[in-house]
Amino acid sequence: IIPEMKGTYDDAILRSTGRQLASVLNLAYSQAITVSQPHRVRLDRTTGRYVLERTVREGERGSSFVPVKEVRGSEGALDARIEIEIEIRQLAEDSATPRPAAVVPRKDSSGRPAVEAITFHPDGTAEAGEIRLRDRDGFGLALRINPTTARVRIVELERE
């Protein structure tokens, strides 16, 4: 009975983490439309922290995005037992109808991964992307962001 309960507990943690992340992605989508300003969810894979950010307004100081502090649930941490992997897809520009192109990992000038974030736009669209979550036993979920509708879909992955 004990091993079965452990599997059930780990599964609950994985699903809870997936719902938590889907919730903040939906919050970013909603905020982008509500205030007519791009918002993004920035993820730090090493710490498991996430932050909802908005673009800097005219006259404000800071980089191009700043944390949204006034919205509940705009920052937090995911369970440390869950591994996070992020893919942002760039859309092909040579096509009349946008389609996902090859995945292009973002890197900064030193070769390290750049900011890992999914951006939501005021017109109701988003960056195409996928966030994969895995537990210690290899079970996984993928959160897939549709670039046209900005909808987040949770899909079960094959066990690794």
Side-chain angles (χ1 to χ4, degrees), residues 9-41:
Y9 180 71
D10 287 346
D11 185 54
I13 291 170
L14 178 65
R15 292 184 186 285
S16 173
T17 301
R19 286 190 304 272
Q20 180 182 4
L21 198 48
S23 178
V24 77
L25 292 167
N26 286 324
L27 178 62
Y29 164 75
S30 175
Q31 284 295 116
I33 292 172
T34 301
V35 298
S36 295
Q37 188 177 28
H39 280 64
R40 73 180 184 185
V41 175

Side-chain angles (χ1 to χ4, degrees), residues 39-106:
H39 280 64
R40 73 180 184 185
V41 175
R42 182 173 46 87
L43 294 157
D44 183 339
R45 292 185 330 157
T46 56
T47 65
R49 296 204 51 81
Y50 62 86
V51 178
L52 175 62
E53 299 177 326
R54 64 170 171 78
T55 54
V56 174
R57 295 183 184 124
E58 192 174 319
E60 283 185 319
R61 292 180 176 242
S63 63
S64 58
F65 282 88
V66 293
V68 174
K69 301 254 185 218
E70 64 275 3
V71 177
R72 186 174 180 201
S74 62
E75 63 181 315
L78 302 174
D79 194 289
R81 294 167 282 196
I82 302 299
E83 179 185 316
I84 305 165
E85 187 178 323
I86 303 162
E87 277 186 8
I88 309 292
R89 292 183 177 88
Q90 295 181 345
L91 297 180
E93 296 178 21
D94 61 344
S95 173
T97 52
R99 57 184 168 74
V103 173
V104 179
R106 296 179 179 185

Side-chain angles (χ1 to χ4, degrees), residues 95-152:
S95 173
T97 52
R99 57 184 168 74
V103 173
V104 179
R106 296 179 179 185
K107 303 223 182 234
D108 63 15
S109 59
S110 67
R112 294 183 316 231
V115 170
E116 295 181 304
I118 306 247
T119 303
F120 294 83
H121 306 285
D123 63 0
T125 61
E127 278 185 305
E130 180 173 282
I131 301 170
R132 287 184 295 278
L133 306 173
R134 290 230 178 250
D135 66 13
R136 294 178 285 196
D137 293 328
F139 292 102
L141 295 175
L143 283 76
R144 295 186 178 145
I145 297 92
N146 181 312
T148 306
T149 63
R151 290 194 52 164
V152 179

